[in-house]
Amino acid sequence: MTADVAILIVTYNSEKQIEECLRSVYDQARSVRQEVVIVDNLSSDGTVALLREKFPQVKLVLPGQNLGFAKGVNLAARHADAEFLLLLNPDTVVLDHAIDVAVEFARAHPAYGLYGGRTLKPDGALEPSSCWGLPSLWSMALFAFGITTLAPRNRWLDPESLGGWARDTVREVGVITGCFLLIGRPAWDRLGGLDERYFMYGEDTDFSMRAWRAGYRPVICPDARVMHEVGQSSSTPLHKALLLYRGKASYVRRRWQGLPRSLGLGLLLLGVGLRALASAVLRGRNKTWQGLWQQRKSWIVGYA
């Protein structure tokens, strides 16, 4: 293999973020040999021109259409030739040799299989979305009846948030998100990559769940730190919410069976409906929940 780690990035109108991201990838490189593979999902801004001008060493793949995240990552992986694959968002900045740190940790602890890092906001505060707990009927019931809103980041009443844990210790987790996810090539091939039926959101939950079922133990390496600006891939809060809940519905439909599936979908609808009602009664400015409820028929079916 030509590299120790292939950094896989999917871009879509990422001109404002990708240069800083790639500068940090190269500037923070230490001893681990790395290659960068970028799949551009038909950007209409100057992303491709910027990459060609300033980063000619990148393997740039242009599919000519918007494949979404899962298909884009899988395509990038097919163009990679490395011992490890690292999924990295274009709106991240690598800190403190994070890629080297993650690869070294993975080599020292191969049994975990999947490895995440610690994501921070631009001001240095914790940005917890590097990992979550796996969804369950219990966590969805808590969401449906508004408990997660009343007790956010509570270990028992908001279990998918993983409580108040600051992602500052080595810990096995249910889900490692695709903003920074390291995996060895054999494990990637064994799992078959990301499920391409997901367009955006939900594919990393699905991937982590399949990893657990295959005997891996997704883990957070807290010394692998990156800065992450959440939500840069979505144009509006409602657009992001529609994609997010379509991903949630897809996960329930594909990975749960029988009564749990029906209950899970019902709890998703109930949670959104109650929040939409509360938003309307309180006449809040944020109309996202109301819009999500109004368009429930479009997302509850999941991705085709």
Side-chain angles (χ1 to χ4, degrees), residues 70-92:
K71 283 186 178 181
V73 169
N74 287 351
L75 178 58
R78 291 196 291 272
H79 284 79
D81 184 24
E83 176 187 358
F84 289 94
L85 304 176
L86 174 70
L87 281 59
L88 186 69
N89 271 20
D91 55 358
T92 58

Side-chain angles (χ1 to χ4, degrees), residues 19 87 95 115 177 216:
E19 181 172 2
L87 281 59
L95 305 172
Y115 308 85
T177 59
Y216 300 111

Side-chain angles (χ1 to χ4, degrees), residues 37-285:
V37 184
I38 294 181
V39 170
D40 184 79
N41 272 336
L42 203 61
S43 292
S44 59
D45 63 0
T47 301
V48 173
L50 183 150
L51 291 171
R52 284 174 169 164
E53 176 187 354
K54 297 187 176 182
F55 301 97
Q57 69 273 43
V58 165
K59 288 184 180 179
L60 180 59
V61 184
L62 304 176
Q65 58 181 309
N66 188 352
L67 299 175
F69 184 72
K71 283 186 178 181
V73 169
N74 287 351
L75 178 58
R78 291 196 291 272
H79 284 79
D81 184 24
E83 176 187 358
F84 289 94
L85 304 176
L86 174 70
L87 281 59
L88 186 69
N89 271 20
D91 55 358
T92 58
V93 175
V94 177
L95 305 172
D96 304 324
H97 316 293
I99 297 174
D100 286 72
V101 169
V103 170
E104 291 163 5
F105 182 89
R107 284 175 171 165
H109 306 279
Y112 289 117
L114 270 68
Y115 308 85
R118 187 170 188 253
T119 48
L120 304 173
K121 298 177 182 178
D123 64 1
L126 175 69
E127 205 302 295
S129 66
S130 65
C131 57
W132 303 111
L134 277 170
S136 65
L137 279 178
W138 171 244
S139 69
M140 286 194 172
L142 292 169
F143 163 77
F145 293 100
I147 306 301
T148 55
T149 300
L150 297 174
R153 306 289 298 278
N154 181 284
R155 179 181 178 184
W156 305 109
L157 301 180
D158 187 15
E160 290 183 35
S161 73
L162 302 178
W165 174 50
R167 280 63 169 164
D168 54 355
T169 56
V170 174
R171 179 171 167 178
E172 295 177 19
V173 295
V175 177
I176 295 176
T177 59
C179 70
F180 187 93
L181 186 156
L182 181 75
I183 182 171
R185 188 70 196 227
W188 174 268
D189 291 340
R190 180 184 176 192
L191 294 174
L194 300 181
D195 187 332
E196 296 187 356
R197 292 175 292 181
Y198 294 85
F199 183 79
M200 180 178 289
Y201 298 120
E203 67 287 305
D204 43 14
T205 301
D206 183 284
F207 189 68
S208 296
M209 181 277 299
R210 289 188 285 120
W212 274 106
R213 288 185 177 178
Y216 300 111
R217 303 182 344 254
V219 68
I220 290 298
C221 172
D223 294 330
R225 304 189 311 135
V226 297
M227 187 172 71
H228 184 211
E229 294 185 65
V230 176
Q232 295 300 304
S233 299
S234 303
S235 56
T236 66
L238 178 57
H239 179 241
K240 178 180 179 179
L242 289 168
L243 293 172
L244 178 63
Y245 278 84
R246 179 167 281 189
K248 288 177 179 287
S250 294
Y251 178 81
V252 171
R253 287 182 179 278
R254 287 172 188 159
R255 301 307 173 188
W256 295 0
Q257 304 295 325
L259 182 59
R261 176 195 288 169
S262 299
L263 287 174
L265 294 172
L267 291 170
L268 278 177
L269 286 170
L270 178 59
V272 171
L274 289 178
R275 285 164 174 79
L277 178 61
S279 174
V281 170
L282 297 175
R283 297 183 180 181
R285 283 185 175 182

